[in-house]
Amino acid sequence: MRTMLILNDVHTFYGHIHALKGVSLTVNEGEIVTLIGSNGAGKTTTLNTISGLNRLRKGAIFFDGQRIDHLPPHQIARLGVSQAPEGRKIFGRMSVLENLEMGAFNRRDKDGIRRDREHVLALFPRLRERLHPPGDTLSGGEQQMLAIGRALMSRPRILLLDEPSMGLAPILVGQIFEIIQDINREGTTILLVEQNAQMALSIATRGYVLETGMMVLEGPASDLLTNPQVREAYLGG
């Protein structure tokens, strides 16, 4: 199995705050790997450091054998790393269609963009019904679909998902996780940050547990689901 993403002893700071303290992880091609932990553990910082939005101070990040931690975000995206951020962060005044087109800003293949847009709308039929209203008129679940769809429009090789279930009704959470599995089955590798540890570990291949900026556990997702420490801290005992 080919390793697609490697974080090696990554240290990231916010000013004087040491947010990531030697984080190391790997994601193999075709996997769903989940990163769980409490609020403030450093999960979003990890994703933002991978995508170039935060700069590491020590360590290295490799994607498909190439070191990427010195590259600006648009070049990292061009290599095939795409992120659906926490809080969705869609463009509220733009239409759904315009938001999707923004996801393809790095591309020039018009026919490919058109095919991928149709594929996203097939994954999320609700978005097809709402193509022209502004993004900020969508429900929370629809905005989450749009955020994931926008990320897919760059045709990523690895998709970074940050809290896709946040604020959603339970029935929508199930739908979103089914779609995440569909995206993975179609060939996209996924690194998933998620507060709903039960759901995340139920669909993941492997998992990592992050506490106060440090990795404290890792292993097959099935093992973490039954781990007493994980169950007590994140799965309700």
Side-chain angles (χ1 to χ4, degrees), residues 104-171:
F105 78 99
N106 259 332
R107 298 175 58 182
R108 298 294 178 266
D109 56 321
K110 292 184 179 180
D111 289 342
I113 291 171
R114 191 177 303 112
R115 286 193 298 270
D116 288 342
R117 184 174 63 237
E118 283 303 306
H119 178 59
V120 166
L121 296 177
L123 278 173
F124 301 107
R126 182 63 178 147
L127 295 183
R128 190 186 297 275
E129 302 169 10
R130 304 291 306 277
L131 274 180
H132 301 295
D136 60 9
T137 66
L138 302 183
S139 69
E142 291 165 345
Q143 289 188 19
Q144 186 60 67
M145 295 173 189
L146 180 55
I148 296 173
R150 182 181 62 188
L152 289 173
M153 285 299 296
S154 68
R155 194 176 286 178
R157 298 178 58 210
I158 187 168
L159 179 61
L160 312 179
L161 294 176
D162 196 353
E163 303 286 7
S165 77
M166 181 180 288
L168 301 187
I171 189 170

Side-chain angles (χ1 to χ4, degrees), residues 149-221:
R150 182 181 62 188
L152 289 173
M153 285 299 296
S154 68
R155 194 176 286 178
R157 298 178 58 210
I158 187 168
L159 179 61
L160 312 179
L161 294 176
D162 196 353
E163 303 286 7
S165 77
M166 181 180 288
L168 301 187
I171 189 170
L172 281 177
V173 172
Q175 291 175 13
I176 289 292
F177 273 83
E178 286 177 11
I179 291 167
I180 290 170
Q181 290 177 281
D182 289 341
I183 293 167
N184 177 250
R185 280 190 285 264
E186 291 169 355
T188 303
T189 303
I190 293 173
L191 177 57
L192 169 65
V193 159
E194 179 56 53
Q195 287 269 186
N196 189 332
Q198 181 79 42
M199 287 290 289
L201 290 169
S202 72
I203 70 166
T205 316
R206 294 184 298 112
Y208 291 86
V209 180
L210 191 63
E211 290 183 3
T212 60
M214 295 181 288
M215 290 297 188
V216 296
L217 280 173
E218 62 178 277

